[in-house]
Amino acid sequence: MAEPKTNELMEKIVSLCKRRGFIYQSSEIYGGINGFWDYGPLGTELKRNVKYLWWMDMTRMRDDVVGLEATIIMAPEIWRASGHVDTFADMMQTCKSCKKLVRADQVWDILVEQSWVQSLASIADVATQSFDGEALMRWADGKGKRLVPNLALVRNPRVTLSWLSERSKSSKQAPLSAKEFYQYLATEQLAATGLITPCPYCGGELTAPRPFNLMFETWAGPLQSEENKVYLRPETAQAIFVQFKNVLETSYQKVPFGIAQIGKAFRNEITPRNFTFRSREFEQMELEFFIKPDEVIEAIAGSVVKPGESHPGEPQPNWGWEAWHKYWVEERIRFYEGIGLPRTTLVEYWQKPDELAHYARATVDILFKFPFSKRNEKGELMGEELEGIAARSDFDLSQHERFSGKPMGVFDEELRTAWGKLDEAKKKELWQRYYEARLKYLTKTAKSDETPDQIDKAAREDADGLAKGQYIPHVIEPSAGVDRLILALISNAYHEDQMPDAKGNMETRVVMKFHPRVAPVKAGIMPLLKNKPELVKKALEIRDTLRPHMNIFYDDAGAIGRRYRRQDEAGTPFCVTVDFETLEGAKEGPLAGQKDTVTLRYRDDGKQERVKIEDLLSLLMAKIR
Ligand code: ATP
């Protein structure tokens, strides 16, 4: 029997998110809307911090990346060129009874989460082949009727059970798998139909899988006609490709360089699930980093360097696509570590050749081990995708060149000069390789009216361009989801530990151990008592000094211990308390006798130290950077 999924940790996280204002269900007072989520006050700050840090890391701290902010609705031709209109689809199955839709590759994952499966798990154990027919009959007549009215076992228990018992008794065949067990329960005309996969929601029969395009459609203009049909962008990347030439011409950049964008993307996911992990509206942080094709590097630098196992270091002129790809994988992992996701929570997954998109030369998915991730045979969490880093060749710019009719290539003086100095054999070799790559691309994407001769001619013209210093840049694409990262940070931060309360009794505390760089609130500012004007005055002064530099929370309500706990749950790394020693002088320690000191309390271990008010800003700034 499949393990019923009772992910307590996830339930606690979801409940904390709502209780503390990280994440709410969208449109909650109207019953919610599936796949859409709103960020509350703490979630908004967390998200802003994450986006800011990504932007700093990817653009402002570098000379070779610039930004873009494009529209969500763009010319629909873009999505034809990118392949989204034809192929951006998931396989979907529909229930013939309740009409609900299920993503074909998720049917079994969803099934094991259902209460009817969990209820069956308590009366049948597939692993040991022991299920009691009588108990199943009783279940079918009682709970089954209520929970899964369309399951064959419920509608026609005798027939279904007879198939099941026959099969499980057969010593010639391998023991039943959990999947087969449920398929038998869903099948009453075995001879006519073969085994049937049950709808996870009502037990009915599912249709065969068929593709379902994930793009949201709407109309630009008053007429809801086919010509006015437009799409909400399913990714931010395409805008970068279509604005590539504009950015190149206005930013004084030269290949290699990148264009970064953060923005909303929309996908009509068939089965949004796992909280915000798979949403229908979400945000992406994408970089398209344009590089010279390897043939161009070889012409200019003499050879192309291959990356080793570790970070290849500072970019070099002789890097080909493999070194650049490795560089971005390592840079992105460094980023995640720098915002508090330990290396042990991440998995670097290299897609297998048969998993790669046809234009991709390599793709690495960075996975995070979420509480709901599947486990391997050893019981270890396997992780779910946070970000994909793809080496996409020159596919995207080439597609837009072909569909728009506008040149997307670049002119490179260095290449033209270097080419002139190559010997004939080298020119021939590089020309041939470039020609073959272009021929492959042009053949794969040929329109029905294009002849092989035309394609060959176009590939030759492209390869001839090398001598003139012309080529279409290749691209490395690190593409991350903001919302998945927020969920990873929240999952990673969630801790429960024991701490003494005001009376010294140990109590369980929930503490969100965010890295101070991402923490929504950096410091809680608290006068010990709110009815002592001198304490309040000092605390407000501190608030006003810190506020322009960091997000702070002024809290004067309730016992100080309670206020600390509230900040622990919000993930605030530091609390600053103004007390009587601030006014009268510290009682002990290195600052004994000095006025204008405060208690600085650390979230993770609850330790406290006395610091001077005048040192507070620089001290905190050093910790939150
Ligand atoms: P998946 O296989 O999980 O559907 P994908 O490979 O289709 O993801 P990409 O197209 O590579 O995802 O998108 C880049 C990033 O955008 C993903 O790594 C993820 O972080 C984010 N993302 C994609 N789809 C969703 C979604 N439905 N909800 C939230 N984030 C998403």
Side-chain angles (χ1 to χ4, degrees):
M1 172 81 54
E3 278 288 303
K5 230 185 194 166
T6 49
N7 203 322
E8 271 178 43
L9 177 57
M10 221 31 231
E11 280 168 25
K12 285 181 177 176
I13 288 172
V14 173
S15 127
L16 175 112
C17 280
K18 170 158 174 154
R19 189 174 76 245
R20 290 313 313 263
F22 282 98
I23 301 172
Y24 314 122
Q25 203 181 13
S26 163
S27 325
E28 193 188 278
I29 61 167
Y30 287 97
I33 168 167
N34 199 6
F36 296 86
W37 301 93
D38 293 341
Y39 288 81
L42 289 178
T44 305
E45 292 293 338
L46 179 63
K47 211 172 178 201
R48 276 180 183 257
N49 292 344
V50 163
K51 289 192 282 184
Y52 171 77
L53 290 168
W54 185 91
W55 195 255
M56 283 298 286
D57 207 63
M58 299 299 259
T59 68
R60 292 192 186 163
M61 297 302 286
R62 306 182 61 100
D63 293 327
D64 57 359
V65 178
V66 291
L68 179 74
E69 188 145 334
T71 57
I72 285 170
I73 292 176
M74 300 188 286
E77 291 77 13
I78 290 174
W79 307 110
R80 280 189 264 285
S82 67
H84 283 81
V85 169
D86 290 333
T87 60
F88 191 57
D90 280 336
M91 297 309 276
M92 172 193 73
Q93 292 178 269
T94 313
C95 174
K96 291 182 182 171
S97 304
C98 71
K99 309 291 176 215
K100 283 204 173 123
L101 309 179
V102 200
R103 215 172 107 167
D105 61 352
Q106 292 177 348
V107 170
W108 294 99
D109 289 346
I110 296 173
L111 190 105
V112 294
E113 288 167 0
Q114 302 305 310
S115 55
W116 66 272
V117 172
Q118 298 183 9
S119 136
L120 268 174
S122 60
I123 56 168
D125 185 353
V126 173
T128 59
Q129 296 282 297
S130 62
F131 35 84
D132 170 356
E134 284 308 307
L136 282 180
M137 288 284 275
R138 280 198 300 279
W139 183 89
D141 208 34
K143 269 199 179 153
K145 255 195 191 140
R146 232 174 338 105
L147 297 174
V148 253
N150 296 316
L151 192 70
L153 174 75
V154 173
R155 286 186 286 106
N156 206 345
R158 290 205 182 279
V159 178
T160 304
L161 273 179
S162 70
W163 295 122
L164 182 63
S165 329
E166 225 171 88
R167 169 62 177 75
S168 62
K169 273 189 226 131
S170 156
S171 54
K172 284 191 217 102
Q173 297 188 50
L176 280 177
S177 66
K179 263 189 193 178
E180 284 172 318
F181 173 73
Y182 288 107
Q183 285 178 323
Y184 273 103
L185 297 188
T187 308
E188 58 195 315
Q189 293 179 28
L190 190 58
T193 59
L195 283 177
I196 281 170
T197 296
C199 161
Y201 307 108
C202 77
E205 186 184 339
L206 293 175
T207 59
R210 63 194 153 86
F212 169 77
N213 194 296
L214 299 184
M215 282 199 294
F216 279 99
E217 296 173 2
T218 184
W219 294 271
L223 279 186
Q224 297 192 356
S225 61
E226 198 52 32
E227 310 85 84
N228 285 350
K229 189 157 92 182
V230 288
Y231 303 96
L232 302 191
R233 66 181 176 200
E235 61 173 37
T236 57
Q238 292 306 319
I240 298 180
F241 296 122
V242 300
Q243 291 293 6
F244 168 72
K245 286 308 270 293
N246 272 335
V247 175
L248 179 74
E249 279 154 24
T250 51
S251 66
Y252 303 102
Q253 292 286 344
K254 277 200 311 206
V255 177
F257 82 103
I259 305 175
Q261 179 168 220
I262 299 180
K264 289 272 189 183
F266 302 80
R267 295 183 188 178
N268 198 0
E269 297 281 356
I270 299 162
T271 31
R273 55 203 293 271
N274 289 330
F275 200 19
T276 55
F277 180 83
R278 188 169 299 287
S279 306
R280 288 178 168 147
E281 175 174 341
F282 55 97
E283 259 181 297
Q284 290 185 313
M285 306 185 284
E286 295 196 295
L287 169 70
E288 302 304 330
F289 196 83
F290 299 96
I291 56 173
K292 301 177 190 198
D294 279 11
E295 294 79 19
V296 172
I297 297 289
E298 220 173 305
I300 295 173
S303 63
V304 171
V305 76
K306 294 266 174 202
E309 287 293 300
S310 52
H311 195 304
E314 282 300 300
Q316 300 298 324
N318 59 356
W319 279 11
W321 73 266
E322 283 171 292
W324 274 112
H325 185 238
K326 177 75 181 159
Y327 168 82
W328 279 113
V329 171
E330 294 296 329
E331 279 294 282
R332 298 302 304 138
I333 291 175
R334 183 187 59 74
F335 172 78
Y336 288 123
E337 287 182 305
I339 58 170
L341 295 181
R343 191 71 182 79
T344 49
T345 63
L346 303 171
V347 177
E348 183 182 324
Y349 177 76
W350 287 74
Q351 286 191 10
K352 312 255 163 13
D354 62 332
E355 294 170 315
L356 288 174
H358 70 85
Y359 47 77
R361 295 191 164 171
T363 298
V364 170
D365 290 336
I366 299 179
L367 317 181
F368 174 77
K369 296 175 187 171
F370 285 98
F372 51 76
S373 295
K374 289 199 193 103
R375 289 177 188 273
N376 63 18
E377 320 77 61
K378 289 191 219 142
E380 299 154 342
L381 288 172
M382 296 202 293
E384 312 288 329
E385 180 180 328
L386 266 192
E387 163 158 3
I389 300 148
R392 299 174 62 94
S393 69
D394 56 7
F395 175 78
D396 304 276
L397 289 180
S398 302
Q399 283 292 97
H400 289 301
E401 178 169 288
R402 275 155 70 72
F403 276 72
S404 69
K406 305 283 184 327
M408 284 290 170
V410 296
F411 168 70
D412 189 331
E413 183 62 55
E414 228 186 330
L415 169 63
R416 196 172 59 159
T417 313
W419 193 268
K421 294 181 188 157
L422 294 177
D423 62 40
E424 287 310 309
K426 192 74 191 168
K427 278 184 193 164
K428 206 165 163 211
E429 180 206 329
L430 295 178
W431 185 96
Q432 186 67 24
R433 268 169 39 203
Y434 196 82
Y435 157 78
E436 278 167 17
R438 293 299 298 164
L439 187 67
K440 193 169 156 203
Y441 158 72
L442 291 166
T443 309
K444 265 227 154 84
T445 55
K447 299 191 182 117
S448 54
D449 57 352
E450 279 177 305
T451 65
D453 279 352
Q454 286 171 323
I455 294 169
D456 186 72
K457 185 164 170 272
R460 282 173 188 283
E461 280 170 10
D462 288 343
D464 289 344
L466 291 176
K468 297 178 217 152
Q470 291 163 353
Y471 60 85
I472 296 185
H474 284 222
V475 75
I476 307 291
E477 178 192 80
S479 165
V482 182
D483 310 77
R484 286 191 186 174
L485 178 50
I486 297 297
L487 190 55
L489 289 168
I490 289 177
S491 309
N492 186 61
Y494 187 94
H495 284 82
E496 288 177 11
D497 61 15
Q498 297 290 313
M499 271 236 166
D501 65 11
K503 294 185 189 128
N505 300 323
M506 292 310 259
E507 64 173 7
T508 302
R509 122 182 131 136
V510 171
V511 51
M512 297 297 284
K513 294 189 177 175
F514 290 119
H515 191 293
R517 296 177 80 200
V518 296
V521 179
K522 308 298 183 197
I525 315 294
M526 306 171 179
L528 187 63
L529 298 171
K530 73 169 169 189
N531 55 3
K532 288 277 176 246
E534 307 91 306
L535 294 180
V536 170
K537 184 167 171 276
K538 279 271 176 236
L540 290 175
E541 276 170 22
I542 294 173
R543 179 197 69 180
D544 293 342
T545 308
L546 298 184
R547 193 144 67 176
H549 305 277
M550 67 191 75
N551 191 31
I552 55 98
F553 187 80
Y554 183 84
D555 189 2
D556 60 7
I560 195 75
R562 271 228 217 100
R563 282 185 257 167
Y564 286 156
R565 290 290 181 280
R566 279 204 290 267
Q567 292 309 310
D568 289 343
E569 258 196 349
T572 307
F574 312 104
C575 284
V576 174
T577 308
V578 177
D579 50 24
F580 292 105
E581 290 183 51
T582 312
L583 307 175
E584 293 157 10
K587 284 198 183 120
E588 53 193 24
L591 300 178
Q594 291 199 35
K595 290 186 181 172
D596 286 332
T597 64
V598 284
T599 304
L600 181 62
R601 182 218 182 233
Y602 294 87
R603 172 198 67 199
D604 292 354
D605 54 12
K607 290 219 170 90
Q608 304 190 358
E609 64 170 329
R610 271 214 99 70
V611 301
K612 288 187 196 166
I613 292 177
E614 64 184 34
D615 293 342
L616 206 49
L617 178 61
S618 58
L619 207 145
L620 291 179
M621 287 304 285
K623 291 181 192 294
I624 63 176
R625 268 206 197 103

